[in-house]
Amino acid sequence: MTTPPTPPAPRVTIKEVAARAGVSKGAVSLAFNHKPGLSEATRDRIFTAARELGWAPNLTARSLAGRRVDVVGLAICRPAKLLGLEPFYMEFIAGVESVLTERSCSLLLRLVRNLEEEVGLQDAWWRGKQVSGSILVDFRADDPRVAAVRRLGMPVVAVGHPSLTGGLTSVWTDDTTAVTEAVRYLAALGHRRIARVGGAAAFGHTSLRTAAFDEAARALAPAGAWQVSTDFSGEAGARATRSLLSASGGDRPTAIVYDNDIMAVAGLSVAAEMGLSVPEDVSLLAWDDSQLCRLTRPTLSAMSHDVHGFGAEVARTLFGVITGEGDEGEGAGSHPVPTPVLTPRGSTAPPSRSARDAG
């Protein structure tokens, strides 16, 4: 009779070393990276605990010795003009900066034209010791950055759902649940013809929202559902809205969901231009809920999301990856941030009888 193989012993973590030594995980990281801030007695106690448990810092943490630890990289593949008008990224970057400032670190921000350019940029940053790690955003299917940063051994945090980020440590929002809530809310108001003005189709989070809208609309918008892809700009949002509202009768939606604030504001202007009243003739629902939503008339209902807090959480997670203070293993430390929640305001209401009966 063959004796079954003995299962491998569980891997010792930095948390266990810290507990054995009676210190924080940060203190263990300081000791093994030969940083100041610990007494010799504490340092010796940490090393003794690590020897007793058979623990050593992972290769990524060790490889940071001699590298800059005061700069974090962020590359964004968006036109500069659009990025300057995009409330999401302004709030997200502010959130990242709030954490970097606490740690006396700086953000190295670059705009790139495509993913190939970003792969080369991340390679240059890491090999040139210009950054201690990077934040990766706007994931696509089969994203080439996953293999590139793995090959480099570069500490990163991926902003995207784990289904898109190839096992990298990731932080994300539950777009599927949020889209479903948006459609259910509009359906509960009595809307049966609902449209969505989405973002760039190539982005993974856009695909997740598209699939969620399709599923929810099939059940809740029996009279019709439409989706239009855009580039997130106000101009594209206006064009999409104009096209949707130019249809006649039963081919015109009574409610529209937008993938960002700036497109929703543009849509509100188009409705007024076409002589339609919001929300009597058409309800509009924005995403992210920046200050823009509270400056319009009527104020815009939105799927509210703490974007500043999202950026801060991404930065904190990246520091955990860089220092080895987070949990260890493939994709360790990955977690969602709170799901966007509905904030009703003046731009949504039950459809009027004329809108409901049209066509």
Side-chain angles (χ1 to χ4, degrees), residues 181-194:
E181 181 182 357
V183 176
R184 284 177 177 166
Y185 163 66
L186 294 171
L189 290 177
H191 294 279
R192 296 296 178 266
R193 301 193 303 275
I194 303 173

Side-chain angles (χ1 to χ4, degrees), residues 11-50:
R11 185 178 181 184
V12 177
T13 67
I14 190 173
K15 183 177 180 180
E16 293 171 288
V17 174
R20 172 71 69 93
V23 298
S24 69
K25 292 189 293 184
V28 177
S29 179
L30 288 174
F32 275 88
N33 284 300
H34 307 289
K35 300 293 184 182
L38 299 175
S39 69
E40 286 305 313
T42 300
R43 201 179 298 272
D44 289 343
R45 194 164 72 250
I46 291 169
F47 290 146
T48 298

Side-chain angles (χ1 to χ4, degrees), residues 67-352:
R67 289 189 178 272
R68 294 172 66 99
V69 293
D70 58 350
V71 179
V72 166
L74 171 61
I76 301 177
C77 188
R78 300 283 180 93
K81 180 180 179 181
L82 177 58
L83 186 67
L85 297 173
E86 175 61 73
F88 174 87
Y89 270 119
M90 295 301 99
E91 280 292 311
F92 181 82
I93 291 170
V96 171
E97 288 276 20
S98 71
V99 174
L100 299 187
T101 299
E102 293 173 356
R103 298 174 182 247
S104 299
C105 291
S106 300
L107 180 67
L108 180 55
L109 175 65
R110 284 280 298 274
L111 302 185
V112 295
R113 291 166 294 183
N114 50 54
L115 288 184
E116 290 70 25
E117 183 178 343
E118 182 177 345
V119 167
L121 177 66
Q122 299 289 355
D123 185 281
W125 277 350
W126 185 244
R127 294 184 188 280
K129 299 184 180 182
Q130 297 179 65
V131 300
S132 55
S134 275
I135 297 168
L136 307 181
V137 298
D138 288 337
F139 272 77
R140 281 79 156 174
D142 301 317
D143 198 294
R145 292 173 294 177
V146 174
V149 297
R150 285 191 184 286
R151 184 175 63 252
L152 292 169
M154 183 180 192
V156 301
V157 166
V159 180
H161 191 271
S163 63
L164 302 165
T165 56
L168 299 175
T169 296
S170 55
V171 182
W172 71 94
T173 57
D174 186 353
D175 287 320
T176 297
T177 297
V179 167
T180 302
E181 181 182 357
V183 176
R184 284 177 177 166
Y185 163 66
L186 294 171
L189 290 177
H191 294 279
R192 296 296 178 266
R193 301 193 303 275
I194 303 173
R196 170 175 163 263
V197 176
F203 291 156
H205 68 270
T206 299
S207 298
L208 291 174
R209 293 183 190 184
T210 298
F213 183 89
D214 275 341
E215 184 174 350
R218 278 198 300 270
L220 299 169
W226 302 262
Q227 297 199 69
V228 182
S229 294
T230 69
D231 61 4
F232 292 107
S233 69
E235 292 84 353
R239 283 194 300 271
T241 304
R242 195 171 290 112
S243 175
L244 289 167
L245 296 182
S246 294
S248 60
D251 292 328
R252 191 174 78 194
T254 61
I256 305 175
V257 182
Y258 294 86
D259 266 20
N260 70 1
D261 292 347
I262 193 169
M263 293 196 298
V265 172
L268 188 62
S269 296
V270 168
E273 163 199 315
M274 299 180 70
L276 297 174
S277 177
V278 176
E280 288 79 8
D281 296 320
V282 60
S283 286
L284 306 181
L285 181 61
W287 204 278
D288 292 329
D289 198 16
S290 73
Q291 186 68 21
L292 284 176
C293 293
R294 294 178 286 281
L295 296 175
T296 59
R297 289 294 177 270
T299 53
L300 281 164
S301 299
M303 298 306 295
S304 298
H305 179 200
D306 182 5
V307 179
H308 185 279
F310 189 14
E313 184 60 22
V314 168
R316 283 191 289 266
T317 303
L318 178 58
F319 276 109
V321 175
I322 291 170
T323 64
E325 294 177 19
D327 296 328
E328 299 180 12
E330 181 80 358
S334 296
H335 60 281
V337 294
T339 302
V341 296
L342 178 71
T343 300
R345 294 196 183 93
S347 67
T348 51
S352 65

